[in-house]
């Protein structure tokens, strides 16, 4: 019942776990992103999704680079 409150910590944990298993053969890697609606910034829901998508691709690039 506290997933929303702990969302950033859960995301960080998922990314760290994915990075640690990067070198393990046969284990899938996970790239993901998270974003929140910002009333003063977002005019459409697609802007929120675009930020999350960009965060996912940044993570994917870091995983491929080994960082």
């Amino acid at each position: 019942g506290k997933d929303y409150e702990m969302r950033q910590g859960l995301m960080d944990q998922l990314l760290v776990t994915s990075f640690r298993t990067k070198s393990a053969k046969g284990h899938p890697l996970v790239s993901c992103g998270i974003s929140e609606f910002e009333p003063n910034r977002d005019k459409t829901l697609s802007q929120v999704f675009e930020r999350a998508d960009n965060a996912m691709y940044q993570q994917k690039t870091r995983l491929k680079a080994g960082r």
Side-chain angles (χ1 to χ4, degrees):
K2 298 217 182 248
D3 288 351
Y4 182 77
E5 294 171 15
M6 299 174 12
R7 64 193 173 280
Q8 190 58 56
L10 292 168
M11 180 65 71
D12 294 343
Q13 185 179 13
L14 178 62
L15 296 175
V16 166
T17 301
S18 179
F19 183 75
R20 285 185 185 153
T21 60
K22 179 180 186 271
S23 61
K25 244 185 175 175
H27 288 95
L29 292 178
V30 175
S31 292
C32 50
I34 189 172
S35 183
E36 294 182 23
F37 175 74
E38 299 175 22
N40 296 329
R41 178 179 181 182
D42 299 317
K43 303 297 180 220
T44 65
L45 187 58
S46 64
Q47 291 174 303
V48 181
F49 283 108
E50 187 175 325
R51 280 198 310 279
D53 200 41
N54 287 337
M56 179 197 63
Y57 281 109
Q58 289 173 6
Q59 178 61 20
K60 190 178 218 180
T61 299
R62 284 191 294 272
L63 282 171
K64 286 183 178 182
R67 294 183 274 148

